[in-house]
């Protein structure tokens, strides 16, 4: 079927699917669905009585050959690092031990699907027990297993679709591993039927500047090849696109060009300066953020230098990771968050993967209970890199719950020669204890993603809870207000007013950014791509407007009402398609 | 039956990359070779999953065994490979 741009199929009335817009932008393109995860073959699944064990083994061998060939084909077109991973994965698919064990199960009567599923599962558990690096390879073994079973069943391989032309990716939800293999030059937009505003899909989409809609229930009905219009601002998907959608895409592209003129000059309409900072994960990010006009770094996530490692990196290795970030912001502020391992970011050398409830477990600063030396080494590396650079380096600890923890952190920072120490406010207890915490440390930074998750007791990855997991919720805004007030009202006897920033995804929502400033937050740190649009909206409001809109938001009992009340007062959002 | 003991030289042990290089070398010999940690079961040395399952870290001793006319030459080659730091390659 050929697509004629602008054509309207009279037989097909336009349908609109609504979800939650998590990354603004308007595009039109064909749907490519992410293949469904492969379902486990039943434990009792026997081979077809018409086939001998040898026939069944030949069937399995044929499927393995196809999987190996497909992985080899992808390796040929991949970058060297990815190609090495793909060819190792291909070697696992054709592994003689794996096929021998599956063969034994086939001899006992199992189907090829069940045999490979069970044999690979047993090997995966053994590797998992070894822990560390080997445990991380479990994903590869399970991926090989899914591919082989999909091949045996004649289904498409699971994962991101192979395509040479741009498409709108539609999935149930995306795992971090899926998002890592996305080609930004081919993916026009992300649409998921599950997932919330703070899911990995949302975070990756915002960082990559890809329009995205999550929790779009009806998206499961979209079929491959259907042309759709995606609006990541309003959270709608329309098929087929209307003339208005096409005009909207053109308008969005023009505005993107106009906004590129942002030079880091961030002020409100009354001239009040605003500190707009960037969230970065490493040197490349930092360089891009400096070019995008960030006044500094409000959150340097150091765990990206640790992930994928089965042992603690040396002080020299860490120094080499930190130095480029500091150098990109010579003369400006860089806030380094110390290692935030645990929960969705397990690290074999500091965290225990067997916790029944990792989000409430030993994560962030709490890992110093069992491995205090990791923080000491990290602070040493930060202090050395800071001394050799021109950046104004500060450090802050994640997952602080009590003033005593804040004091312990401040003490180790001083011992490492780092003068300015702060903590993150992600746990409601920290927000409520902010005045006492600020007697021990120099600043606070509110992590709205976790603060929302813990305040509302709603897992940030669960699409079903996306309504609860919303930083516009009344209780979350109250805690932000309390924390900001503690900073503004810190007594002169302990240093006077202290900065209180926000470094969660909430700061990248232009309407919420206005509210946060009105609540008394002193800096906003966000993915660098959001800086121009947040700055553009902030230029249209005065400090008084911010306070008035913050009061409006606080007066609303639920997230939807708060968002609607504030957006109604900010017509600029509609004009910009945000 | 020929037998050799080798000490793993790769900095991070016999994990994915060194294991892949070793499997390619074993496969190229065309003869069955087994690998074991002392006291452990003999595993197929041409299986990357078995090698990874050995959990052999840097400095671990492993025993290689094979048969045939060419057994000594084959094992000498494989020992040299194991005693090279393949992570540095």
């Amino acid at each position: 079927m050929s697509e004629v741009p602008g054509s309207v199929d009279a037989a097909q009335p336009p349908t609109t699917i609504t979800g939650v817009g998590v990354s603004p932008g308007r595009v039109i393109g064909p749907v490519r669905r992410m293949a469904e995860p492969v379902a486990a073959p039943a434990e009792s699944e026997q081979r077809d009585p018409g086939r001998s064990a040898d026939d069944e083994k030949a069937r399995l061998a044929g499927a393995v050959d196809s999987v190996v060939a497909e992985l080899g084909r992808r390796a040929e077109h991949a970058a060297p690092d990815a190609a090495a991973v793909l060819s190792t994965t291909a070697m696992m698919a054709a592994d003689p031990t794996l096929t021998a064990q599956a063969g034994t199960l086939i001899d006992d009567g199992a189907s090829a699907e069940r045999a490979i599923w069970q044999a690979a599962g047993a090997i995966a558990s053994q590797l998992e027990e070894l822990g560390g690096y080997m445990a991380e390879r479990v994903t590869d073994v399970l991926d090989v297993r899914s591919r082989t079973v999909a091949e045996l069943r004649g289904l498409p391989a699971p994962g991101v679709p192979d395509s040479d032309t741009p498409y709108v990716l539609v999935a149930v939800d995306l795992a971090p591993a899926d998002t890592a293999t996305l080609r930004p030059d081919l993916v026009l937009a992300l649409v998921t039927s599950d997932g919330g505003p703070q899911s990995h899909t949302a975070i990756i989409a915002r960082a990559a500047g890809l329009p995205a809609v999550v929790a779009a229930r009806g998206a499961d009905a979209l079929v491959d090849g259907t042309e759709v219009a995606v609006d990541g601002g309003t959270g709608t998907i329309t098929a087929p696109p209307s003339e208005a959608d096409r005009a909207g895409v053109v308008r969005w592209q023009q505005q993107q060009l106009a906004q590129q003129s942002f030079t880091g000059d961030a002020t409100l309409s009354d001239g009040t300066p605003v500190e707009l900072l960037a969230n970065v994960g490493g040197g490349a990010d930092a360089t891009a953020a400096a070019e995008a006009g960030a006044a500094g770094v409000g959150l340097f996530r150091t765990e990206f230098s640790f992930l994928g490692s089965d042992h603690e990196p040396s002080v020299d290795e860490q120094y080499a990771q930190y130095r480029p970030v500091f150098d990109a912001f010579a003369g400006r502020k860089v806030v380094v968050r110390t290692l935030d391992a645990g929960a969705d970011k397990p690290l074999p050398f500091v965290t225990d993967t067997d916790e029944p409830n990792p989000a409430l477990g030993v994560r962030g600063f709490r890992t110093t209970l069992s491995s205090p030396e990791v923080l000491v080494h990290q602070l040493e590396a930060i202090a050395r890199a800071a001394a050799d650079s021109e950046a104004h380096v500060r450090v802050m600890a994640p997952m602080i719950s009590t003033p005593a923890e804040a004091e312990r952190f401040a003490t180790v920072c001083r011992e490492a020669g780092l003068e300015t120490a702060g903590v993150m406010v992600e746990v409601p207890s920290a927000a409520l204890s902010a005045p006492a915490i600020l007697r021990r440390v120099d600043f606070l930074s509110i992590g709205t993603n976790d603060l929302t998750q813990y305040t509302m007791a709603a897992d940030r990855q669960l699409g079903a809870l996306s309504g609860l997991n919303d930083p516009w919720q009344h209780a979350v805004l109250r805690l932000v207000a309390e924390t900001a007030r503690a900073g503004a009202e810190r007594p002169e006897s302990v240093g006077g007013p202290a900065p209180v920033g926000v470094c969660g995804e909430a700061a990248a929502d232009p309407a919420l950014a206005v509210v946060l400033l009105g609540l008394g937050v002193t800096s906003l740190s966000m993915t660098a791509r959001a800086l121009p649009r947040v700055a553009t909206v902030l230029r249209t409001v005065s400090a008084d407007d911010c306070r008035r809109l913050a009061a409006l938001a606080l007066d609303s009992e639920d997230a939807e009402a708060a968002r609607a009340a504030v957006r109604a007062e900010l017509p600029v959002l509609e004009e910009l398609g945000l | 039956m020929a037998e050799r003991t080798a000490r793993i030289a790769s900095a991070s042990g016999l994990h994915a990359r060194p294991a892949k290089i070793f499997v390619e070398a074993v496969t190229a010999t065309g003869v069955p070779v087994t690998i074991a940690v002392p006291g452990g079961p003999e595993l197929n040395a041409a299986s990357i999953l078995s090698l990874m399952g050995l959990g052999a870290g840097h400095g671990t001793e492993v025993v290689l065994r094979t048969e045939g006319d060419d057994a000594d030459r084959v094992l000498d080659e494989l020992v040299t490979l194991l005693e090279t730091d393949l992570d540095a390659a």
Side-chain angles (χ1 to χ4, degrees):
Chain A
M1 191 183 79
S2 68
E3 295 286 349
V4 183
S7 74
V8 175
D9 184 346
Q12 209 184 350
T15 48
T16 298
I17 297 165
T18 307
V20 181
V22 291
S23 178
R26 301 187 69 166
V27 295
I28 289 176
V31 164
R32 292 296 307 267
R33 293 201 62 91
M34 179 117 152
E36 299 287 317
V38 172
E43 226 168 287
S44 57
E45 193 178 287
Q46 298 288 302
R47 71 167 189 268
D48 191 319
R51 281 198 293 262
S52 70
D54 283 345
D55 290 346
E56 194 70 353
K57 285 180 204 170
R59 224 181 119 235
L60 177 59
V64 166
D65 285 349
S66 302
V67 169
V68 170
E70 171 60 21
L71 290 169
R73 198 185 65 77
R74 285 180 50 195
E76 273 174 37
H77 295 94
D81 280 359
V85 172
L86 287 167
S87 56
T88 306
T89 310
M91 189 179 258
M92 290 180 188
D95 189 89
T97 300
L98 175 61
T99 38
Q101 289 176 4
T104 306
L105 293 165
I106 290 174
D107 285 334
D108 292 345
S111 69
E113 289 88 339
R114 178 63 208 172
I116 194 75
W117 188 270
Q118 190 171 326
I123 289 173
S125 331
Q126 284 164 13
L127 291 178
E128 193 148 29
E129 275 170 26
L130 287 172
Y133 179 85
M134 297 306 170
E136 289 169 37
R137 300 279 72 75
V138 167
T139 325
D140 302 346
V141 177
L142 298 181
D143 177 52
V144 157
R145 169 172 94 164
S146 293
R147 285 176 177 278
T148 310
V149 172
E151 183 67 34
L152 283 164
R153 287 177 176 162
L155 296 174
V160 174
D162 290 327
S163 172
D164 301 324
T165 51
Y167 60 95
V168 172
L169 180 63
V170 178
V172 175
D173 198 4
L174 297 174
D178 301 322
T179 48
T181 56
L182 292 180
R183 295 255 316 263
D185 53 331
L186 290 178
V187 178
L188 296 168
L190 303 176
V191 174
T192 62
S193 54
D194 209 332
Q198 325 219 25
S199 60
H200 283 286
T201 308
I203 292 170
I204 294 287
R206 281 188 284 253
L210 280 176
V213 180
V214 301
R217 298 276 172 268
D220 287 334
L222 291 169
V223 293
D224 267 8
T226 309
E227 194 183 39
V228 292
V230 178
D231 185 335
T234 58
T236 53
I237 300 114
T238 315
S242 66
E243 287 309 316
D245 289 324
R246 292 181 195 282
V249 171
V250 172
R251 208 164 56 237
W252 168 261
Q253 287 165 344
Q254 288 165 347
Q255 279 153 6
Q256 288 302 100
L257 287 174
Q259 285 181 26
Q260 281 170 7
S261 58
F262 176 66
T263 54
D265 164 40
T267 52
L268 302 181
S269 65
D270 56 10
T272 311
V274 182
E275 197 175 14
L276 293 188
L277 309 169
N279 295 349
V280 307
D285 265 8
T287 307
E291 281 166 8
V297 171
L299 170 63
F300 173 16
R301 298 184 172 100
T302 52
E303 54 278 3
F304 286 114
S305 5
F306 289 76
L307 289 176
S309 182
D310 59 350
H311 59 280
E312 184 192 348
S314 70
V315 169
D316 285 344
E317 282 167 342
Q318 294 185 49
Y319 174 98
Q321 299 273 357
Y322 305 152
R323 202 42 217 285
V325 175
F326 297 170
D327 287 345
F329 283 92
R332 285 171 288 174
K333 177 162 106 174
V334 176
V335 182
V336 185
R337 178 175 69 188
T338 56
L339 185 59
D340 188 19
D344 57 342
K345 291 168 289 201
L347 278 182
F349 53 95
V350 286
T351 56
D352 170 7
T353 50
D354 291 334
E355 287 178 343
N357 207 341
L360 302 182
V362 179
R363 56 168 298 202
F365 184 70
R366 299 168 181 187
T367 58
T368 59
L369 292 172
S370 51
S371 323
E373 72 291 348
V374 175
L375 178 62
V376 171
H377 298 155
Q378 184 177 27
L379 292 173
E380 182 190 339
I382 294 169
R384 267 178 47 197
D388 291 350
S389 79
E390 305 288 320
H392 305 306
V393 175
R394 288 112 206 254
V395 285
M396 64 179 179
M399 279 298 284
I400 291 291
S401 309
T402 64
E405 286 175 343
E407 179 157 335
R408 272 207 293 130
F409 181 67
T411 306
V412 278
C413 289
R414 271 195 302 275
E415 284 166 4
L418 289 158
E419 299 279 322
T420 314
V423 301
M424 290 200 62
V425 174
E426 297 159 286
V427 183
S429 65
L432 296 170
S433 307
I437 289 176
L438 277 173
R439 285 197 284 275
R440 276 85 171 177
V441 296
D442 306 305
F443 66 93
L444 299 176
S445 182
I446 305 173
T448 44
N449 305 356
D450 274 328
L451 184 62
T452 306
Q453 147 163 295
Y454 293 128
T455 303
M456 304 309 295
D459 189 321
R460 52 198 267 199
Q461 306 294 343
L462 288 181
L465 302 182
S466 63
L468 287 177
N469 207 312
D470 187 330
W472 286 89
Q473 285 285 359
H474 177 76
V476 179
L477 296 178
R478 285 270 308 273
L479 290 173
V480 171
E482 288 289 316
T483 309
R485 199 171 54 162
E489 294 179 357
R490 184 165 78 157
E492 291 300 333
S493 58
V494 283
V500 175
V502 166
C503 65
E505 297 289 325
D509 170 348
L512 194 45
V514 170
V515 170
L516 294 171
L517 291 177
L519 294 175
V521 161
T522 58
S523 67
L524 298 171
S525 190
M526 65 200 76
T527 178
R529 294 204 181 249
L531 291 167
R533 64 171 180 263
V534 170
T536 304
V537 172
L538 292 181
R539 271 196 289 272
T540 68
V541 292
S542 66
D544 282 342
D545 292 334
C546 291
R547 281 188 289 271
R548 184 171 57 81
L549 293 180
L552 259 185
L554 274 180
D555 278 346
S556 307
E557 282 181 10
D558 65 70
E560 273 316 306
R563 185 184 279 112
V566 171
R567 287 187 71 97
E569 298 283 316
L570 290 170
V572 62
L573 296 173
E574 188 75 13
E575 286 164 31
L576 294 173
L578 293 170
Chain B
M1 169 73 72
E3 182 181 304
R4 294 280 189 290
T5 301
R7 197 175 283 278
I8 307 290
S10 293
S12 52
L14 208 48
H15 76 194
R17 183 180 142 77
K20 173 171 177 276
I21 296 170
F22 182 69
V23 166
E24 282 163 352
V26 173
T27 310
T29 66
V31 294
V33 181
T34 66
I35 186 166
V37 289
E42 289 190 24
L43 302 170
N44 182 349
S47 161
I48 188 165
L49 293 174
S50 295
L51 291 182
M52 286 165 52
L54 269 184
H58 172 79
T60 303
E61 274 193 358
V62 293
V63 180
L64 300 179
R65 288 196 186 91
T66 190
E67 288 175 355
D69 301 340
D70 217 12
D72 288 315
R73 189 190 57 79
V74 162
L75 290 187
D76 286 341
E77 261 180 42
L78 295 176
V79 165
T80 308
L81 196 57
L82 286 180
E83 298 198 332
T84 307
D85 184 357
L86 298 171
D87 279 322

